[in-house]
Amino acid sequence: MTVTPPTQGAESYVVGVDFGTLSGRAVVVRVRDGEEVGSAVHAYPHGVIDRELPGTGRILPPDWALQHPEDWREVLRTAVPAAVAAGGVDPAAVIGIATDFTACTVLPVRADGTPLAETALGDRPHAWPKLWKHHAAQDQADRINHLAHQRAEKWISRYGGRISAEWQYAKALQVLEEDPGVYAATERWIEAADWIVWQLAGVETRNTCTAGYKGIHQDGHYPSEDYLAALHPDFADFARTRLEHPLSPLGARAGSLTPQAAAWTGLPEGIAVATGNVDAHVAAPAARAVENGQLLAIMGTSTCHVVNGATLADVPGICGVVDGGIVEGAYGYEAGQSAVGDIFAWWLSQGVPADYLAEAEATGEDLHRLLTRKIADQPVGGHGLIALDWMNGNRSTLVDHHLSGVIVGLTLATRPEEIYRALLEATAYGTRTIVDALEQGGVPVTEFIVTGGLKKNALLMQIYADVLRRPVSLAESAQGPALGSAIHAAVAAGAHPDVRTAAAAMGRVQRGAYRPDTARADAYDELYAEYRLLHDHFGTGPDKQLHRLRRLRNAALSRNSEV
C-alpha cells in the first residue's frame, strides 16, 4: 500500500529497535536532527535460557545459551507503542522502522518463518534459537577451521584464520550432529536480525552484514558444497537450501509494515521496514564513526569493535572483514570480546562481602560506584594483580571459547575493589590486543570511540585511555544501536540519501572526552607486558591447561544433563 507522508512542514520520525541480550529497546527519533523524543524498554521474560528448557524441565548442558522468539515479538508489542507514547508523537508522523540484533543469534525455522521452537519439536533444545553466547559448538568450530586450512580455503583468511563457535556454521553443524531430526526439519537457518524483519514486513530477507560476518559469504559465494560435505555428508547443501537468498544492503528498504505488525506496534501500515542489521555495526552512524580509521567499541555485556578501512587486509584473529559490512564503499572490520560488562557483573554478584553491601545501602550507591570510589585513587599496579578477560572465552584475537578467566597475584591482603579494578583493566588489555592486531595487519586506527552502557563508568573510560595511550571519544546517545537503527530507517524511508549523510545529521559524538595520562600510560605498558605473557602462555602455548579444565568440567556436568 502507499503511505501518505506527513504534511509539508510537519516533523517526521522514525523508530529504531535494538534487540539485546536481556531486553529490547525502542527509540523514536526526529528525522531532521536525530533528536530522541521517546524510548521504552521491555525485558525478556525468559532472559537467557542457559539452565533449563522452558516448559520441559530438561537441564541444558554446559555452554548452552538459548532464547525465546516470543520475547522478541513482545518487544514490538510493548516497547514500540510505549516509546511512541512517551515521545508524544502522532504515529501517523512515523515514516519508517528499523531493527538490530545481537549476533550471531540464529534460529531454525519452517519455510514460512515459523520457529521450530514453536512447533511440536519445541521439547528438543536444538529447535530453539541459539543466542550469540551459545558456546557449545566449539568442537565443530575447531573442525571447520582445521579443514579450511587443510584445503586452503580462500575465505578463511577473511576471518582472521578462524571461524567462531558463536557463528552460523558451527551452530548448525552441532544441530546436525546432535539432533539430525531437528536439522532435517530446518527449512531455513536464519539470523534473528533477519527473522524479526520477516515478522515486520512479511517477507524473508537476508542482510549483507550478518551474511558476511556470521555466514561466511565472501566474493558473492558461501563455502562450496564440496567443503561442507567434507565436514559431514548431510551438511553439503546447508548453504544452498537453508541460507541462500538475495542479500540486501544496509539502509535498504526490506519491505513495508504488514497489517499484523502495524497492529502490534501501533505504527502506520505500509511504512518502510529497513534491512536487518547487527547491534554493533548499526551503532557506527549514531556515533559518527563511519569514516575509515574510526574504531567504535560497543561496550555492554560484551564488546564489539568495528572499524572501516580503505583496503582489504588479512588481520589474524579478527571476526571478519566484509565489503560494505558497516557502510557502503568501505571494508568493514569486526573484532570483539565475549565478556566485558558480564565480567564486572559476575564479580559484583560473587565477590562483594556483606559489609560492602551494607555500606552501599547506607550511602545510596550502587556497587559499581562503591568499588570505584574505594579504588579510584590507588596507583596503577598497586593491587599487584593481572587478570585474563576470558570468563566467557576469547572472541578476538584467539577465537577460542574453551578458554577461561585467570587472576594472578592474589594475596590474603587483596580487597574486593582491587579485583574489580584488575578486571576493568583486563578488558582494556584485551581491547589493546585487538587494536594492535588491526594496526599491525594494515588497518589504521585513527580514533577510538565508545558507545553502550559502560561509557558512563568514568574510571573504566580513563583506564582505556591510559592503556591504549590514545584519547577516548564518547557517543552522546545512551541508545547507540537503537539510534543507529533509526538512522537506517530514515535512509530506508528516503528521508536521507545514504547512511553517511544521515549520520552527519542525526549522529552525536563528544571527541576526546578522556585523554591519556603519560605517567599512568607508562605504568600500564609494564602491566600490559605481563598480561601478554599470561595471554600467550594460556592462550597460545603448548600447555593447554585451560582446555583440560574445561573438558573435565563439561564431562562432569554433562552426566547430569538431558540433551
Side-chain angles (χ1 to χ4, degrees):
M1 65 169 289
T2 301
V3 180
T4 302
T7 58
Q8 187 173 6
E11 296 283 7
S12 57
Y13 299 86
V14 284
V15 174
V17 189
D18 169 40
F19 290 86
T21 300
L22 297 173
S23 63
R25 179 181 302 272
V27 62
V28 181
V29 179
R30 191 163 59 207
V31 167
R32 171 171 54 87
D33 59 1
E35 180 70 20
E36 299 168 38
V37 300
S39 65
V41 180
H42 176 73
Y44 303 146
H46 297 90
V48 177
I49 302 167
D50 56 6
R51 296 182 182 274
E52 181 179 304
L53 195 68
T56 68
R58 296 186 66 165
I59 303 301
L60 297 173
D63 300 323
W64 276 61
L66 310 176
Q67 286 202 310
H68 200 310
E70 186 61 16
D71 289 353
W72 305 333
R73 294 192 193 95
E74 276 299 302
V75 172
L76 302 177
R77 299 187 185 107
T78 59
V80 173
V84 173
V89 170
D90 181 353
V94 176
I95 62 173
I97 183 171
T99 56
D100 66 83
F101 235 101
T102 60
C104 170
T105 296
V106 66
L107 63 157
V109 301
R110 300 290 194 196
D112 64 357
T114 302
L116 294 191
E118 298 177 348
T119 71
L121 295 171
D123 61 347
R124 294 158 75 162
H126 277 299
W128 287 68
K130 288 180 168 59
L131 182 62
W132 66 267
K133 65 195 300 184
H134 176 93
H135 290 152
Q138 184 64 51
D139 289 341
Q140 284 79 13
D142 291 342
R143 288 168 39 220
I144 288 170
N145 293 325
H146 176 75
L147 182 64
H149 286 289
Q150 187 180 60
R151 292 168 50 101
E153 296 287 340
K154 178 182 176 182
W155 46 261
I156 191 66
S157 64
R158 303 281 180 90
Y159 300 94
R162 293 186 181 182
I163 299 301
S164 173
E166 295 181 349
W167 299 347
Q168 290 184 18
Y169 283 73
K171 288 174 173 174
L173 187 58
Q174 185 194 14
V175 175
L176 170 60
E177 294 180 339
E178 296 182 6
D179 195 336
V182 167
Y183 183 82
T186 300
E187 294 174 317
R188 306 297 285 161
W189 183 251
I190 189 166
E191 288 276 348
D194 292 319
W195 180 84
I196 202 69
V197 171
W198 203 339
Q199 301 301 293
L200 289 167
V203 292
E204 180 183 2
T205 59
R206 302 287 174 134
N207 72 84
T208 56
C209 185
T210 54
Y213 291 104
K214 315 304 177 184
I216 320 183
H217 189 273
Q218 293 285 349
D219 299 324
H221 304 284
Y222 291 106
S224 69
E225 294 200 12
D226 183 54
Y227 166 81
L228 297 175
L231 288 169
H232 190 293
D234 294 335
F235 205 50
D237 67 348
F238 168 68
R240 176 170 54 82
T241 60
R242 293 166 172 85
L243 291 181
E244 193 73 53
H245 195 277
L247 299 186
S248 301
L250 304 180
R253 182 173 182 144
S256 302
L257 197 68
T258 66
Q260 180 185 54
W264 288 345
T265 60
L267 301 178
E269 179 186 345
I271 64 170
V273 178
T275 298
N277 210 328
V278 179
D279 53 356
H281 307 70
V282 80
R288 293 186 178 174
V290 294
E291 301 304 325
N292 295 341
Q294 294 179 311
L295 188 151
L296 180 66
I298 302 89
M299 297 183 63
T301 56
S302 64
T303 292
C304 289
H305 309 77
V306 295
V307 63
N308 285 308
T311 59
L312 180 62
D314 293 336
V315 182
I318 62 162
C319 295
V321 52
V322 176
D323 188 3
I326 303 172
V327 291
E328 189 176 2
Y331 290 98
Y333 293 82
E334 179 193 350
Q337 293 163 272
S338 293
V340 178
D342 272 353
I343 296 176
F344 313 149
W346 164 79
W347 181 243
L348 295 187
S349 68
Q350 304 289 337
V352 180
D355 58 324
Y356 280 50
L357 297 174
E359 182 180 353
E361 184 176 357
T363 60
E365 299 172 290
D366 65 28
L367 289 176
H368 288 287
R369 289 185 180 273
L370 176 72
L371 295 180
T372 296
R373 173 171 57 81
K374 288 179 175 291
I375 200 62
D377 293 333
Q378 186 182 69
V380 174
H383 49 50
L385 302 172
I386 290 288
L388 294 177
D389 52 316
W390 301 343
M391 279 70 169
N392 200 25
N394 180 283
R395 183 183 296 159
S396 300
T397 58
L398 299 175
V399 199
D400 186 346
H401 293 288
H402 280 171
L403 295 174
S404 49
V406 175
I407 303 175
V408 300
L410 295 168
T411 73
L412 294 178
T414 301
R415 302 191 305 276
E417 60 268 28
E418 293 179 317
I419 295 177
Y420 178 74
R421 178 166 184 150
L423 295 173
L424 299 182
E425 292 167 344
T427 68
Y429 301 146
T431 289
R432 178 167 168 175
T433 300
I434 289 167
V435 172
D436 288 350
L438 286 165
E439 295 206 305
Q440 291 165 11
V443 182
V445 175
T446 59
E447 184 178 12
F448 187 85
I449 308 170
V450 173
T451 191
L454 294 183
K455 69 184 176 71
K456 65 185 178 183
N457 187 321
L459 175 62
L460 182 66
M461 294 298 96
Q462 188 60 55
I463 288 172
Y464 270 63
D466 293 336
V467 169
L468 295 172
R469 301 191 77 104
R470 63 177 74 213
V472 171
S473 300
L474 298 181
E476 292 188 5
S477 175
Q479 331 285 354
L483 174 58
S485 281
I487 288 172
H488 283 77
V491 176
H496 290 289
D498 54 56
V499 172
R500 285 188 176 86
T501 304
M506 302 174 70
R508 299 285 187 275
V509 64
Q510 181 185 358
R511 305 285 183 197
Y514 293 87
R515 296 187 176 275
D517 174 86
T518 300
R520 289 195 301 264
D522 289 344
Y524 274 126
D525 279 348
E526 293 186 74
L527 289 171
Y528 180 65
E530 298 297 330
Y531 172 88
R532 289 296 312 192
L533 288 174
L534 279 182
H535 173 284
D536 294 347
H537 173 75
F538 285 108
T540 62
D543 183 7
K544 301 294 185 182
Q545 184 177 20
L546 298 182
H547 285 190
R548 293 197 302 274
L549 291 174
R550 178 62 64 96
R551 284 195 296 270
L552 289 169
R553 185 206 69 164
N554 288 355
L557 294 178
S558 293
R559 287 191 284 270
N560 293 326
S561 71
E562 299 180 38
V563 177

